[in-house]
Amino acid sequence: MTDSQAHQDRLKRLHFRAWHRGTREADYMIGCFFDRFHAQWSEEELVWFETLIEEEDVDILGWALGSLSVPEEYQGAQMERMRKLDYVDIPR
């Protein structure tokens, strides 16, 4: 498998995991975040996201909505971008 194919497979797995969280709210918040920003992420940002999606939905939602304190390992530009919530496009 080429590096390019391995990268594409990794993105497909992340896309699936981002959109199949268990609740519609988490699917929209995490899935839309992935869809909107993943193409411009560095390797470090991809690893951040891969680590983040291992967390419980209730924690991720709380961090993004500001109702829970963001753990140090998730603080920074990525979480700040997620907390804006301007990337969520809910189909009607």
Side-chain angles (χ1 to χ4, degrees):
M1 180 182 303
T2 67
D3 286 345
S4 177
Q5 184 60 45
H7 183 72
Q8 290 305 312
D9 289 348
R10 180 182 185 193
L11 292 178
K12 286 178 188 176
R13 281 192 305 277
L14 287 173
H15 179 265
F16 182 86
R17 301 243 2 255
W19 277 103
H20 295 86
R21 301 298 305 176
T23 66
R24 187 174 299 219
E25 294 83 2
D27 288 350
Y28 283 129
M29 182 180 290
I30 299 165
C32 287
F33 182 76
F34 177 82
D35 286 354
R36 171 67 177 83
F37 296 111
H38 80 276
Q40 63 196 35
W41 287 343
S42 66
E43 175 63 22
E44 182 180 332
E45 291 166 323
L46 277 171
V47 169
W48 180 91
F49 187 76
E50 286 173 322
T51 305
L52 178 78
I53 62 173
E54 294 298 324
E55 300 289 347
E56 296 292 328
D57 290 350
V58 66
D59 293 329
I60 297 171
L61 292 171
W63 300 330
L65 295 172
S67 61
L68 294 175
S69 296
V70 179
E72 187 176 329
E73 64 265 32
Y74 298 119
Q75 292 177 8
Q78 287 282 91
M79 183 56 70
E80 290 305 314
R81 188 178 290 157
M82 182 176 262
R83 293 183 82 174
K84 288 181 182 177
L85 298 174
D86 60 355
Y87 56 85
V88 179
D89 182 24
I90 301 174
R92 307 248 181 249

